[in-house]
């Protein structure tokens, strides 16, 4: 059983524990499971490399990483993130390095070996997620403030970062493949319109910035250096109107009650075109509608006339 991995003898860990979400995902993905089976040795190696004393990992944790509080040789509080390298998580370190602690956690060091990517990060104290700290309408203001700070001009030729078009093309292709197999699915006309927009919008952006792409209230933590800091970014370069989508998708009640109003509110807070934000939200609701059927009604409400 993955929960009963061997005890570690050094690195400051008394017994090796796994985040529950990582355990569940490893059971479903044999490649991830094989990586998880070697985590005790991997974490031990990284802890020794950086002279860290580790506590147990955060629960329930992420789906592809082992993340735990740590202290370095000087007693400074840190966080160690040991992740399974996969396409979705590419360039997290490069994004954090580009932001340099401005609105996001500071990156102290990195180490890459095979399928493993380790990050030594600033620890947020108290570390309470934004979602547990204030009502959603107040969260909107924090999200908008952070996005304004994160949206910086991309490096020449985008540096290491992929264009948003790459992600949208991949997700659209995956949607179209799953759509043909689904027993229940969104109206074919809406599906076609949604994926056409999903491919078109990245190409028609009037402005391109460094994007976080996965910013929501659980990835924003209360801190001391700044009131709120972003964790776990998935950087791309592209249309800033895309970057508010995940926050809106996590606001289930308001999204269901008035999706157009929520899109306009976030657009106003960010100085974006409300119609473009609504188009992005429509396309993304279509894209997510196979695994989240409740979004079909949202997509219908947002569908272009």
């Amino acid at each position: 059983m993955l929960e009963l991995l061997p005890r570690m003898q050094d690195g400051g860990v008394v017994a090796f524990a796994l985040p529950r979400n990582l355990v569940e995902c490893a059971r479903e993905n044999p490649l991830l499971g094989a990586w998880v089976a070697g985590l005790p040795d991997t974490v031990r190696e990284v802890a020794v490399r950086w002279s860290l004393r580790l506590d147990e990992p955060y629960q329930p944790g992420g789906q592809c990483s082992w993340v735990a509080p740590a202290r370095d040789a000087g007693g400074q509080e840190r966080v160690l993130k040991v992740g399974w390298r996969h396409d979705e998580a590419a360039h997290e370190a490069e994004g954090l390095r580009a932001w340099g602690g401005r609105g996001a956690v500071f990156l102290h060091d990195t180490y890459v070996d095979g399928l493993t990517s380790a990050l030594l990060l600033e620890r947020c104290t108290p570390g309470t997620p934004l979602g547990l700290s204030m009502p959603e309408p107040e969260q909107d203001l924090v999200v908008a403030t952070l996005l304004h700070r994160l949206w910086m001009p991309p490096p020449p030729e985008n540096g290491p970062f992929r264009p948003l078009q790459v992600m949208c093309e991949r997700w659209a292709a995956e949607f179209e493949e799953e759509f043909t197999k689904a027993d229940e699915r969104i109206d074919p006309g809406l599906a076609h319109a949604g994926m056409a927009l999903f491919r078109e919008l990245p190409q028609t952006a009037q402005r391109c910035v460094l994007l976080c792409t996965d910013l929501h209230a659980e990835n924003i933590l209360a801190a001391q250096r700044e009131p709120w800091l972003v964790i776990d970014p998935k950087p791309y370069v592209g249309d800033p109107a895309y970057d508010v989508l995940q926050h809106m998708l996590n606001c289930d009640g308001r999204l269901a009650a008035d999706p157009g109003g929520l899109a306009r509110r976030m657009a106003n807070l960010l100085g974006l075109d409300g119609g473009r934000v609504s188009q992005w939200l429509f396309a993304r609701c279509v894209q997510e509608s196979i695994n989240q059927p409740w979004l079909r009604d949202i997509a219908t409400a947002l569908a272009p006339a």
Side-chain angles (χ1 to χ4, degrees):
M1 297 290 290
L2 290 172
E3 296 92 333
L4 302 178
L5 289 169
R7 295 168 64 88
M8 294 178 65
Q9 301 302 314
D10 53 24
V13 177
V14 176
F16 194 80
L18 283 171
R20 293 187 293 275
N21 286 341
L22 181 58
V23 170
E24 291 301 317
C25 289
R27 284 174 174 154
E28 299 174 2
N29 184 330
L31 295 177
L32 176 60
W35 178 81
V36 168
L39 259 179
D41 289 337
T42 301
V43 172
R44 182 189 303 114
E45 177 186 349
V46 176
V48 170
R49 169 181 289 270
W50 286 331
S51 301
L52 301 177
R53 294 186 60 82
L54 305 175
D55 291 328
E56 291 196 356
Y58 296 108
Q59 296 288 357
Q63 298 180 340
C64 298
S65 61
W66 187 96
V67 185
R71 285 186 183 271
D72 64 17
Q76 296 297 309
E77 292 186 336
R78 301 285 185 253
V79 165
L80 175 62
K81 179 175 184 178
V82 180
W84 181 54
R85 295 181 67 193
H86 59 290
D87 185 72
E88 186 179 348
H91 308 309
E92 176 181 357
E94 291 86 347
L96 292 174
R97 190 175 291 115
W99 288 311
R102 296 183 299 276
V105 291
F106 189 80
L107 175 67
H108 289 283
D109 208 344
T110 63
Y111 171 65
V112 175
D113 181 30
L115 294 177
T116 297
S117 175
L119 308 179
L120 186 61
L121 302 166
E122 172 184 6
R123 192 191 307 188
C124 294
T125 304
T128 310
L130 178 63
L132 298 178
S133 302
M134 60 182 64
E136 281 181 7
E138 295 177 35
Q139 294 174 27
D140 297 345
L141 302 176
V142 176
V143 168
T145 298
L146 287 168
L147 283 175
H148 273 302
R149 299 190 67 199
L150 297 176
W151 289 343
M152 58 186 295
E157 299 183 355
N158 295 343
F161 304 109
R162 296 165 292 183
L164 182 62
Q165 182 79 42
V166 170
M167 184 177 74
C168 292
E169 290 286 353
R170 184 176 75 250
W171 284 6
E174 291 172 356
F175 169 86
E176 288 162 350
E177 181 178 355
E178 294 173 1
F179 183 78
T180 62
K181 304 174 184 176
D183 294 328
E184 297 183 15
R185 54 194 182 184
I186 198 168
D187 174 81
L190 283 182
H192 176 77
M195 290 306 96
L197 261 180
F198 210 50
R199 289 186 165 103
E200 173 189 330
L201 286 168
Q203 303 178 52
T204 58
Q206 299 299 305
R207 176 186 174 203
C208 285
V209 298
L210 183 58
L211 303 172
C212 185
T213 78
D214 192 27
L215 187 63
H216 54 82
E218 300 309 306
N219 278 350
I220 300 172
L221 304 183
Q224 293 181 337
R225 181 173 61 81
E226 295 187 6
W228 301 101
L229 290 172
V230 171
I231 63 169
D232 199 26
K234 296 174 176 59
Y236 282 80
V237 167
D239 186 357
Y242 178 89
D243 231 6
V244 72
L245 294 183
Q246 195 58 57
H247 170 63
M248 292 191 292
L249 289 170
N250 282 27
C251 298
D252 298 5
R254 290 193 297 159
L255 185 61
D258 185 9
L262 181 58
R264 287 190 296 273
R265 170 173 168 76
M266 295 310 303
N268 288 337
L269 288 174
L270 287 159
L272 299 171
D273 179 80
R276 190 170 181 85
V277 173
S278 293
Q279 286 183 316
W280 267 118
L281 184 57
F282 162 67
R284 184 71 191 278
C285 285
V286 171
Q287 181 259 329
E288 294 279 4
S289 65
I290 293 176
N291 294 324
Q292 300 185 62
W294 70 279
L295 290 176
R296 296 170 192 167
D297 289 341
I298 313 300
T300 301
L302 291 168

